[in-house]
Amino acid sequence: MKKINIGLIGFGTVGTGVVKVLRDNSGVIKERLGAELILKRIADTDVSRDRGVKLDDGVLVKDALTVINDPEISVVIELVGGTGVAKGFILASLDAGKHVVTANKALLSTHGREIFNAAAEKKADVYFEASVGGGIPVIKALREGLAANKIESIYGIINGTANYILTKMTNDGGKFDDVLRRAQEKGYAEADPSFDVDGIDTAHKLAILINLAFGANVKLADIYTEGIRNINQLDIKYAKEFGYRIKLLAIAKSGDSGVEARVHPTMIPAGHPLALVDGVYNAVHLRGNAVGPVMLWGLGAGMMPTASAVVADVIDICRNILNKTSQRVPLPSFTDEDGRAIKIKDTDSLELPYYMRFSAIDKPGVLSKISGVLGGHNISILSVIQKDRKVGGAVPLVIVTHNALERELRAAVKEIETLDIILEKVVYVRIEENLGAAN
Ligand code: HSE
């Protein structure tokens, strides 16, 4: 049976998972591929730590160049991550005539085009299934399974840490800071959680999905990004009363005047399948104009789910090698190498229902003042909750609007915050009612 040598750079958690999947599933992989995968070399700066997997002598080396320059290795897996040395490793691997598998969403969302162009020049493949949604095959779905469709919308819960924190806050109560601290103690959140809780990791992944869905080379700066640090227990409670759940969503919607691309906490109907995606789970809800809605759900991180996606990419590339082909599917899923000119809409032009919470003095006439300002900005009220009474003190007054223009909503918030009946900054959360479920 034919043997194909592969190399791995970065022997951390996912790298260890790759070794395990290749070892535990070698039989089924061999039967599916018709060839044997040999993990010939692994490079990592730490060659002494026991990862709990047995390697043959000489496999683990310190220098990544030992992998990149090995003429017998056909596929290099990059699992170093980040935008530093990883880019050099990928470009050097392509230059040395190798195909590449990577999970590096930060790198692909910022330098993807450069890497794809380098791969095209070398007629090499760069596969990156593990970069979005861990073990969920969403890249394959967009590049291949849904290739016959115009993609109309993408709604993703694609950061497990943020979803875990929001789920805990929703189910068990607690303040954001306390829930985050407990998640860190249990190892569910990083010591520096900013990429996860500030929506940056989600934006990286959304940039990759937009590239595949619309062929647009979107810049991260064009993706409106807001994290979950300001989500308050009160808003979670009121969301439930209105029949919503709060999720950190990655949203891309295609319309006549451009593509919406945004990441922010969103209120969604409690009965929508995305509202049921809890804990560290991820899900991506796609809508194609022919297929309708499709939802993929699964583990978006972790050793074995992520390794599942990495090894699937290796198998895919090896199938190409065995068939003496490459670049069969254009890497960004469209053939136009430099990306299609697609306008990314700014949030001013969004038209959505909004949840608004005001910390207002409890006295007659407050609601009419607020509704007067909203009316002046053409914002119509769908419902109002004001339960607690604290005469002369501050009470939360909560409003859900009909569809409103965000530009007008922001102007109204600014105006309302100048009123002397308002004691704190106004909180507003965007609501998505439909989420690609129907036209
Ligand atoms: N930090 C990511 C998350 C996992 O919390 O989902 C890797 O993409």
Side-chain angles (χ1 to χ4, degrees):
M1 182 175 272
K2 221 175 146 58
K3 292 181 178 14
I4 301 177
N5 289 307
I6 57 185
L8 166 63
I9 306 175
F11 195 22
T13 306
V14 178
T16 305
V18 166
V19 174
K20 287 185 181 179
V21 171
L22 288 171
R23 181 195 63 195
D24 298 348
N25 294 351
S26 63
V28 72
I29 292 171
K30 219 187 290 179
E31 282 170 6
R32 288 209 170 109
L33 182 61
E36 193 179 345
L37 295 179
I38 311 288
L39 186 52
K40 190 174 177 223
R41 287 203 196 287
I42 302 175
D44 195 284
T45 46
D46 180 353
V47 291
S48 53
R49 184 159 56 93
D50 180 9
R51 278 97 166 166
V53 284
K54 207 179 138 10
L55 299 174
D56 290 340
D57 286 347
V59 170
L60 184 57
V61 296
K62 262 197 163 179
D63 188 357
L65 288 177
T66 314
V67 174
I68 295 167
N69 293 331
D70 185 331
E72 291 182 348
I73 286 177
S74 307
V75 184
V76 173
I77 304 169
E78 180 276 310
L79 294 176
V80 176
T83 50
V85 290
K87 182 179 164 197
F89 291 155
I90 291 178
L91 292 176
S93 299
L94 292 171
D95 210 39
K98 323 280 185 211
H99 304 280
V100 171
V101 173
T102 177
N104 196 331
K105 63 248 167 167
L107 183 62
L108 290 174
S109 61
T110 47
H111 296 94
R113 213 42 81 154
E114 185 185 342
I115 290 168
F116 293 162
N117 287 346
E121 224 168 83
K122 289 284 177 179
K123 297 215 171 348
D125 280 322
V126 176
Y127 279 23
F128 47 95
E129 184 63 68
S131 63
V132 181
I136 303 174
V138 63
I139 306 281
K140 187 95 173 162
L142 276 170
R143 281 177 19 136
E144 299 183 47
L146 300 174
N149 287 263
K150 288 183 189 161
I151 301 299
E152 295 177 339
S153 63
I154 302 172
Y155 293 90
I157 295 173
I158 45 180
N159 185 274
T161 307
N163 200 42
Y164 174 83
I165 292 171
L166 288 176
T167 303
K168 279 275 164 202
M169 287 177 73
T170 304
N171 295 347
D172 306 341
K175 288 189 181 143
F176 171 82
D177 288 334
D178 298 335
V179 176
L180 170 62
R181 192 174 22 80
R182 282 200 296 276
Q184 284 169 320
E185 282 161 11
K186 286 188 175 159
Y188 293 150
E190 303 280 346
D192 176 1
S194 47
F195 263 44
D196 294 322
V197 302
D198 294 331
I200 300 162
D201 176 74
T202 302
H204 286 153
K205 293 166 179 168
L206 180 62
I208 293 172
L209 293 181
I210 288 176
N211 202 335
L212 296 169
F214 307 113
N217 192 10
V218 62
K219 290 194 215 64
L220 275 180
D222 290 338
I223 299 180
Y224 172 81
T225 305
E226 180 188 322
I228 60 167
R229 282 186 202 268
N230 295 328
I231 293 297
N232 179 306
Q233 205 38 250
L234 271 180
D235 303 315
I236 288 181
K237 187 184 107 189
Y238 285 118
K240 280 187 193 166
E241 290 200 25
F242 284 114
Y244 298 121
R245 293 288 178 274
I246 301 182
K247 293 288 183 191
L248 179 65
L249 285 195
I251 301 172
K253 272 195 249 183
S254 147
D256 293 340
S257 54
V259 173
E260 289 176 26
R262 48 198 166 93
V263 171
H264 52 73
T266 314
M267 289 197 188
I268 63 175
H272 190 279
L274 280 173
L276 308 175
V277 177
D278 274 346
V280 294
Y281 278 90
N282 281 198
V284 184
H285 186 288
L286 304 160
R287 187 176 178 92
N289 68 336
V291 71
V294 170
M295 189 163 122
L296 301 160
W297 174 91
L299 286 167
M303 179 188 283
M304 300 309 278
T306 312
S308 157
V310 169
V311 176
D313 276 351
V314 172
I315 293 169
D316 224 348
I317 286 178
C318 290
R319 283 177 170 150
N320 286 348
I321 293 173
L322 293 170
N323 284 294
K324 299 189 176 22
T325 182
S326 65
Q327 295 255 322
R328 193 183 62 80
V329 186
L331 303 181
S333 120
F334 284 76
T335 50
D336 179 350
E337 279 159 31
D338 292 320
R340 295 164 348 130
I342 282 179
K343 181 177 166 346
I344 302 294
K345 288 165 75 171
D346 63 24
T347 49
D348 271 358
S349 59
L350 289 180
E351 218 175 335
L352 296 170
Y354 291 81
Y355 160 96
M356 308 180 83
R357 178 167 57 80
F358 307 92
S359 177
I361 292 177
D362 190 7
K363 68 175 190 187
V366 166
L367 182 57
S368 74
K369 276 197 181 162
I370 292 173
S371 59
V373 177
L374 293 177
H377 287 275
N378 221 8
I379 299 168
S380 144
I381 296 174
L382 174 69
S383 44
V384 180
I385 295 182
Q386 199 227 306
K387 282 195 178 150
D388 308 311
R389 279 232 75 183
K390 207 189 281 174
V391 180
V395 288
L397 172 70
V398 177
I399 285 177
V400 169
T401 73
H402 286 286
N403 266 4
L405 248 188
E406 183 149 325
R407 185 187 325 118
E408 293 292 346
L409 183 108
R410 287 200 182 128
V413 165
K414 219 167 158 188
E415 202 175 320
I416 290 169
E417 282 175 344
T418 65
L419 301 176
D420 56 4
I421 49 156
I422 297 295
L423 300 179
E424 285 172 24
K425 273 183 85 65
V426 176
V427 171
Y428 63 91
V429 181
R430 298 169 187 88
I431 300 175
E432 289 282 342
E433 287 286 0
N434 188 308
L435 299 121
N439 280 324

